[in-house]
């Protein structure tokens, strides 16, 4: 069953059309990587799917609930109750962590469960300690973000996203701010999550990693989905744009 359905999304910033007729779907537990050049619209797509941006038109359905649909060319968003229900089912991990600098690690992880989901504080903390243990951060619960390495910060932001037990976890270039050693550390954590049967949609430039963990890979170029296929087919593609992108990648 599809946990995410996206149909004909369009998004422009002023005169610049950033997303052009984007359609995709994700099954429960599926792992999908999105690759593409800088400026191709990958972050904008994830931001639209997480309602950090509004779409101009199209449809987004999360776990059977319609976030936005389009009537007569005009997008119509669901009411706050449905949007909140959807928000509780999704998590987003950013490139630059986006931790709350004035809260310690524990509070960063428990903030949304306690204040947005209404989970009792002691229960939220118990979950948080479990996640910290699982992600190798047991001794960092009382540390502040400025006291963490990049890799640790990113693992905290993954713990924070997991704290709401999302059905879909989105990652926007989770390792691109990290050096190679810390990248390995974070990729290992993401790899370990693949056994949880959670749907994961990962924007990444880590081609070997994407190829290894993905059920499907989506290649975006200039606001369109050029390919949506298995990793094996993507890397053997005859499409000129795909070949040019992957070729550039190998040279750099
Ligand atoms: N808030 C905004 N206002 C105006 N233009 C924007 C805004 N956000 C993104 N854009 C433009 O939309 C296009 C797509 O940007 P986006 O961030 O989605 O690309 P990306 O594929 O994530 O690139 P990268 O790999 O560099 O992260 C770019 O041309 C960008 O300048
Ligand atoms: Mg981006």
């Amino acid at each position: 069953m599809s946990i995410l359905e996206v149909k004909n999304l369009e998004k422009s910033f002023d005169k610049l059309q950033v997303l052009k007729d984007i359609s995709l779907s994700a099954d429960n537990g599926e792992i999908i990587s999105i690759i593409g050049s800088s400026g191709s619209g990958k972050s904008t797509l994830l931001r639209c799917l997480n309602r950090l941006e509004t779409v101009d038109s199209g449809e987004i359905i999360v776990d059977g609930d319609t976030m936005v649909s389009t009537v007569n060319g005009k997008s119509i968003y669901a009411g706050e109750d449905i949007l909140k229900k959807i928000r509780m089912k999704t998590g987003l991990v950013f490139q630059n962590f986006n931790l709350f600098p004035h809260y310690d690690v524990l509070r960063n992880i428990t903030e949304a469960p306690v204040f947005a989901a209404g989970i009792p504080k002691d229960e939220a903390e118990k979950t948080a300690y479990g996640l910290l243990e699982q992600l190798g951060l047991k001794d960092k619960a009382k540390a502040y973000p400025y006291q963490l390495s990049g890799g640790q910060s990113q693992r905290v932001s993954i713990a924070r996203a997991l704290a709401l037990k999302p059905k879909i976890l989105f990652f926007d270039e989770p390792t691109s701010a990290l050096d190679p050693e810390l990248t390995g550390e974070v990729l290992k954590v993401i790899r370990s999550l693949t056994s949880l049967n959670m749907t994961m949609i990962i924007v990444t430039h880590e081609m070997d990693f994407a190829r290894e963990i993905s059920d499907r890979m989506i290649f975006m170029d200039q606001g369109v989905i050029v390919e949506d296929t298995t990793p094996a087919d993507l890397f053997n593609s005859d499409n000129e744009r795909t070949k040019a992108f992957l070729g550039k990648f190998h040279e750099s």
Side-chain angles (χ1 to χ4, degrees):
M1 195 197 106
S2 286
I3 186 101
L4 175 69
E5 282 282 351
V6 175
K7 292 178 198 159
N8 314 111
L9 281 199
E10 305 271 347
K11 171 72 182 173
S12 296
F13 292 109
D14 298 320
K15 288 201 176 71
L16 178 70
Q17 196 180 356
V18 178
L19 299 179
K20 301 170 190 164
D21 196 22
I22 296 285
S23 297
L24 60 96
S25 72
D27 285 341
N28 221 349
E30 211 170 13
I31 296 168
I32 300 173
S33 303
I34 302 177
I35 60 170
S37 314
S38 181
S40 58
K42 306 176 302 292
S43 295
T44 304
L45 174 60
L46 287 202
R47 290 174 60 79
C48 288
L49 299 179
N50 286 277
R51 220 172 55 87
L52 297 172
E53 295 284 355
T54 52
V55 302
D56 299 330
S57 64
E59 201 175 342
I60 300 171
I61 303 167
V62 178
D63 202 17
D65 285 316
T66 300
M67 176 198 295
V68 58
S69 57
T70 295
V71 178
N72 296 333
K74 199 175 171 303
S75 64
I76 298 169
Y77 275 83
E80 198 43 54
D81 50 341
I82 298 276
L83 293 179
K84 182 172 179 190
K85 192 174 159 202
I86 291 174
R87 201 158 54 237
M88 295 294 149
K89 290 181 182 178
T90 57
L92 175 59
V93 174
F94 300 88
Q95 170 180 341
N96 54 0
F97 328 132
N98 279 20
L99 295 172
F100 303 118
H102 52 298
Y103 291 161
D104 66 14
V105 163
L106 190 65
R107 176 107 189 247
N108 263 281
I109 299 171
T110 57
E111 182 74 3
V114 172
F115 293 99
I119 294 169
K121 191 166 170 234
D122 53 346
E123 197 182 307
E125 290 190 347
K126 199 168 153 225
T127 304
Y129 278 114
L131 286 166
L132 288 174
E133 166 113 53
Q134 186 189 334
L135 301 188
L137 293 162
K138 211 169 63 179
D139 53 340
K140 297 293 181 192
K142 295 291 175 194
Y144 281 82
Y146 76 89
Q147 296 168 312
L148 303 173
S149 73
Q152 289 165 345
S153 298
Q154 193 56 302
R155 282 184 282 146
V156 171
S157 76
I158 292 171
R160 181 176 62 176
L162 290 172
L164 284 171
K165 301 187 177 68
K167 291 197 166 184
I168 311 175
L169 191 48
F170 297 92
F171 293 88
D172 191 356
E173 299 196 34
T175 61
S176 57
L178 304 176
D179 68 30
E181 192 185 343
L182 298 180
T183 293
E185 179 185 292
V186 169
L187 294 182
K188 199 170 142 200
V189 164
I190 298 173
R191 201 178 279 121
S192 76
L193 302 178
T194 59
S195 62
L196 299 178
N197 198 36
M198 181 172 54
T199 304
M200 295 205 275
I201 299 184
I202 308 168
V203 171
T204 184
H205 288 296
E206 296 290 332
M207 292 299 154
D208 292 338
F209 171 74
R211 186 177 192 160
E212 170 202 329
I213 69 157
S214 305
D215 298 305
R216 269 168 44 220
M217 290 181 73
I218 290 175
F219 168 53
M220 283 181 71
D221 190 32
Q222 296 180 25
V224 300
I225 291 181
V226 178
E227 308 238 17
D228 179 348
T229 185
T230 61
D233 282 352
L234 186 100
F235 283 93
N236 285 318
S237 174
D238 288 333
N239 184 293
E240 291 304 328
R241 286 153 92 177
T242 311
K243 283 202 297 200
F245 175 73
L246 292 174
K248 231 180 341 194
F249 225 85
H250 284 299
E251 283 158 25
S252 62

